[in-house]
Amino acid sequence: MANYCTFFWETIANLIIIIFFQAIIKTMPRSKSSKQWLQEHFADSYVKQAQLDGYRSRAVYKLKEIDEKEHLIQPNMTIVDLGAAPGGWTQYVSQKLQGKGHIIALDILPMAPLANVDFILGDFTEKKCLEMLINQLASKRVDLVLSDMAPNMSGNAIIDLPKAMYLAELAFDFALEMLEARGTLLMKIFHGVGFDDIVKMAKLRFSKVVIRKPQASRARSRETYLLAKGYTL
């Protein structure tokens, strides 16, 4: 009964958040391109499904698809979720672990609380934020690092891709420092300069490295996900 009530109120809260932001969006001046994006967004089947399932974002289905194939999330794991807001991935992880594990979520944007999740509000590019995360781990190593981090996109690939690659490099470096032996990294990575270099480095430190493009990832997007399993200390 307790789990049902928690799910019920989380679902209600998520619907309120969606309605609130939709109301704000309607009052904002919009360009032709932003109007087109919004129309596409609210017509998106994954957006509608997320609302029905009580998830905070459509992005959850990217993780869900990969997890169902690769069995990434297991009880009693220590899991770090970078770039977590609004919390779709973290919500999925929390529901799977059911309190049996340690979840730390981090984002530069605020995130509504989730059951059994420690949230850090901060900029992962800043040293003090990394120190807060390491302190929260309390000397524990991490079984699974998740990163859906991405910069605010301007639409100019020359500007956007280096920023995105920098975030991917930070996530990768954190994984190398903090993963447990045989641990796993799943992170967003965009095709462009530096992509091949990170894949090559991953293959030197992990026993299995693959690139995934989940169905929920929009076809026109350069985003893919690097999955690296079997970390060697």
Side-chain angles (χ1 to χ4, degrees):
M1 178 61 71
N3 288 339
Y4 173 79
C5 290
T6 299
F7 174 77
F8 173 79
W9 287 113
E10 283 185 359
T11 300
I12 295 298
N14 293 335
L15 289 173
I16 292 171
I17 290 169
I18 290 166
I19 293 168
F20 174 72
F21 280 108
Q22 286 178 344
I24 291 176
I25 287 167
K26 287 179 181 178
T27 65
M28 294 171 61
R30 297 190 290 273
S31 65
K32 183 178 179 180
S33 60
S34 66
K35 288 180 181 178
Q36 183 179 356
W37 183 90
L38 287 169
Q39 289 172 353
E40 179 184 338
H41 176 76
F42 289 118
D44 186 292
S45 62
Y46 288 104
V47 172
K48 293 178 179 179
Q49 191 62 48
Q51 293 174 358
L52 290 172
D53 293 342
Y55 286 122
R56 295 184 176 188
S57 71
R58 71 185 301 283
V60 68
Y61 299 106
K62 303 173 189 179
L63 175 60
K64 188 173 186 290
E65 178 184 324
I66 295 172
D67 180 49
E68 287 175 350
K69 290 179 180 178
E70 299 286 348
H71 309 291
L72 303 180
I73 301 164
Q74 303 294 332
N76 303 313
M77 277 186 160
T78 297
I79 298 175
V80 170
D81 184 8
L82 303 174
W89 280 27
T90 315
Q91 183 183 14
Y92 175 80
V93 172
S94 177
Q95 290 175 0
K96 285 211 69 175
L97 290 186
Q98 292 290 305
K100 297 178 181 178
H102 186 193
I103 308 166
I104 303 175
L106 181 149
D107 203 287
I108 195 171
L109 298 174
M111 189 179 89
L114 282 165
N116 306 305
V117 175
D118 294 321
F119 178 67
I120 297 173
L121 177 65
D123 184 347
F124 192 63
T125 65
E126 296 181 356
K127 183 179 178 181
K128 64 179 181 180
C129 184
L130 177 61
E131 291 173 348
M132 290 170 61
L133 176 54
I134 291 173
N135 289 338
Q136 188 72 52
L137 286 166
S139 301
K140 288 192 296 185
R141 299 193 75 86
V142 180
D143 298 295
L144 173 61
V145 173
L146 301 172
S147 175
D148 202 27
M149 289 193 296
N152 290 326
M153 295 298 190
S154 68
N156 185 334
I158 295 175
I159 297 172
D160 295 337
L161 288 178
K163 291 181 179 180
M165 191 55 63
Y166 177 60
L167 292 176
E169 289 170 354
L170 289 178
F172 185 76
D173 289 345
F174 174 78
L176 294 188
E177 288 294 324
M178 300 305 299
L179 274 178
E180 183 64 86
R182 298 180 298 281
T184 298
L185 166 66
L186 176 66
M187 72 174 188
K188 178 180 288 186
I189 184 169
F190 291 83
H191 281 277
V193 176
F195 177 91
D196 290 338
D197 291 337
I198 285 189
V199 173
K200 288 178 182 177
M201 287 189 290
K203 288 181 177 179
L204 295 175
R205 302 299 302 270
F206 294 84
S207 61
K208 175 183 177 180
V209 177
V210 294
I211 301 299
R212 299 288 191 211
K213 178 76 171 177
Q215 291 183 7
S217 180
R218 292 186 172 96
R220 69 174 181 276
S221 173
R222 289 172 178 259
E223 77 168 11
T224 55
Y225 289 86
L226 182 147
L227 173 62
K229 301 177 74 174
Y231 178 61
T232 56
L233 290 174

